Amino acid sequence: MTQKILYTNDISAAIRSLAEEMKPASIHILTDANVASDVMPRLDLPSTDVITVPAGDENKNLTSLSMIWECLISGGATRKSLLINIGGGVVTDMGGFAAATFKRGIRFINVPTTLLSAVDAAVGGKTGINFGGLKNEVGAFAPADAVVISTALFSTLPPSEILSGYAEMIKHGLLSSAEVYHELLGFDILGADMTSLLPLLEKSVKVKERIVTEDPTEKGLRRALNLGHTAGHAFESLAMGRHKPVPHGYAVAWGILVEMILSNMAEGFPSAELHDYARYLKEHGYGSPAITCDDYDELTELMRHDKKNDSPGQINFTLLASPGSPLLDRTADKTEIAAALDIFRDLME
């Protein structure tokens, strides 16, 4: 993966410098309605062509994608144009997919405005939209030419947005080492100055960057990054289908716990680590999905539709032997998943 990642608090200068290097035929900016009002006035950017989509994951769909393509056409974009995606994961995912497919591919830059998009969506080359009630069902591998990461934009985020992004950092810690994972659990994410977060954020992004560089199209090692996502996407899709969406990071945080439980059942993942993590979620306000045993069949069916599954009817998970030791392509059947969900509900009471 060839991708320049810049860590800076002078976002406007970084974007202008990148644009000068790339010398595009035209520059187009994609953002959402919230970022357009709260962030864009603080930036001095080299473009007046701003495409604004509605905010929210429910708008990460084919309708919004079509609108982006139409705006690029009406704005005179060519194959040598540049799209700058400024926003959270919805904007960077959908903007990256729009760029990857418009005229068979134009260059793009991601500027994440949330912790979640900085650590997850903006880096790594996965792009896409939701389709048919399923998360990220249609998309492409297309790394941004550059990503500009700054904690300066995070100070105004509500606690739920910070916690959502931090769940992905914890996931990277679990994939990295026990030392990094425990360091993250010990960091006061809601009480910290966002400037002090930057070194941890950079360390977290480098975990993902290393994995993606080794396996850009998810043929092997990159599957480790799916930790928490098989169960997490099921929680997220269930909530979306009930018109009660939950933050992506919350769903991933819950999914990690479910997959820790499966890891304990099948691979001997330490019970003490599992209980410590469940306690962390409860003490730091991650809440719990409103599910009962009546929801297990639907959750399992959603897991069956997960795009990470290789064989019909088989549900793939990334599990853990211990923090820092991921296990790829593990499977669990309906009975095992139901047992894990029972334990999950008990732990999160």
Side-chain angles (χ1 to χ4, degrees):
M1 180 189 70
T2 303
Q3 186 177 67
K4 182 180 290 187
I5 302 179
L6 304 178
Y7 299 87
T8 176
N9 282 330
D10 195 341
I11 300 166
S12 300
I15 292 174
R16 287 183 173 278
S17 176
L18 288 167
E20 288 174 9
E21 289 177 22
M22 297 168 77
K23 296 179 172 56
S26 60
I27 297 174
H28 310 264
I29 293 174
L30 175 68
T31 191
D32 67 29
N34 291 342
V35 174
S37 61
D38 298 341
V39 175
M40 295 296 288
R42 297 159 55 186
L43 303 177
D44 178 21
L45 300 175
S47 174
T48 56
D49 183 28
V50 178
I51 304 166
T52 304
V53 295
D57 195 73
E58 65 275 15
N59 295 301
K60 186 176 153 184
N61 55 33
L62 192 55
T63 300
S64 296
L65 181 66
S66 296
M67 189 195 80
I68 296 167
W69 287 329
E70 289 167 2
C71 289
L72 287 171
I73 292 170
S74 63
T78 73
R79 291 189 71 181
K80 294 185 177 181
S81 293
L82 172 68
L83 181 64
I84 304 174
N85 302 314
I86 304 177
V90 170
V91 168
T92 57
D93 276 2
M94 188 160 53
F97 189 38
T101 49
F102 184 74
K103 296 188 182 294
R104 296 195 176 93
I106 63 173
R107 294 171 294 176
F108 68 100
I109 294 171
N110 284 337
V111 185
T113 59
T114 66
L115 178 56
L116 178 62
S117 59
V119 76
D120 182 38
V123 177
K126 281 188 177 181
T127 70
I129 59 169
N130 304 330
F131 187 76
L134 299 171
K135 284 285 295 180
N136 302 321
E137 183 72 356
V138 179
F141 288 101
D145 289 78
V147 182
V148 179
I149 293 178
S150 171
T151 57
L153 299 176
F154 302 161
S155 59
T156 59
L157 294 174
S160 60
E161 287 283 356
I162 296 295
L163 289 174
S164 186
Y166 204 62
E168 288 283 356
M169 290 182 63
I170 289 172
K171 181 197 77 175
H172 289 166
L174 280 165
L175 298 177
S176 178
S177 68
E179 180 183 2
V180 173
Y181 168 61
H182 291 135
E183 180 183 13
L184 289 165
L185 290 191
F187 184 76
D188 182 12
I189 182 60
L190 292 181
D193 181 326
M194 284 296 102
T195 303
S196 66
L197 178 64
L198 191 59
L200 280 177
L201 176 56
E202 184 170 354
K203 188 184 296 185
S204 184
V205 172
K206 286 185 183 300
V207 171
K208 181 171 186 179
E209 190 179 9
R210 173 181 58 80
I211 291 173
V212 172
T213 298
E214 290 186 38
D215 181 21
T217 57
E218 206 172 77
K219 302 300 184 186
L221 177 62
R222 183 167 179 164
R223 290 174 181 250
L225 293 170
N226 294 323
L227 176 65
H229 283 64
T230 299
H233 278 164
F235 285 134
E236 199 169 3
S237 294
L238 183 70
M240 191 187 312
R242 293 175 175 177
H243 306 289
K244 295 180 179 179
V246 297
H248 172 72
Y250 282 42
V252 169
W254 304 333
I256 288 172
L257 180 54
V258 171
E259 293 171 26
M260 276 186 178
I261 294 165
L262 289 170
S263 298
N264 174 261
M265 293 163 56
E267 307 292 346
F269 183 80
S271 295
E273 294 283 10
L274 188 160
H275 285 274
D276 284 348
Y277 177 70
R279 185 164 49 250
Y280 178 89
L281 294 185
K282 290 194 289 185
E283 290 177 352
H284 288 78
Y286 280 94
S288 182
I291 61 168
T292 70
C293 57
D294 292 335
D295 298 312
Y296 291 2
D297 284 348
E298 187 172 356
L299 285 167
T300 303
E301 192 60 28
L302 287 166
M303 293 181 206
R304 287 190 205 285
H305 283 283
D306 195 283
K307 59 188 174 299
K308 297 181 289 296
N309 297 325
D310 295 322
S311 304
Q314 190 176 73
I315 303 175
N316 274 17
F317 295 90
T318 293
L319 300 182
L320 296 162
S322 62
S325 299
L327 302 167
L328 308 183
D329 297 326
R330 296 310 199 259
T331 62
D333 62 27
K334 183 178 179 178
T335 301
E336 292 164 334
I337 291 169
L341 289 171
D342 278 339
I343 296 169
F344 170 83
R345 288 170 57 212
D346 288 342
L347 288 171
M348 294 301 288
E349 281 184 352

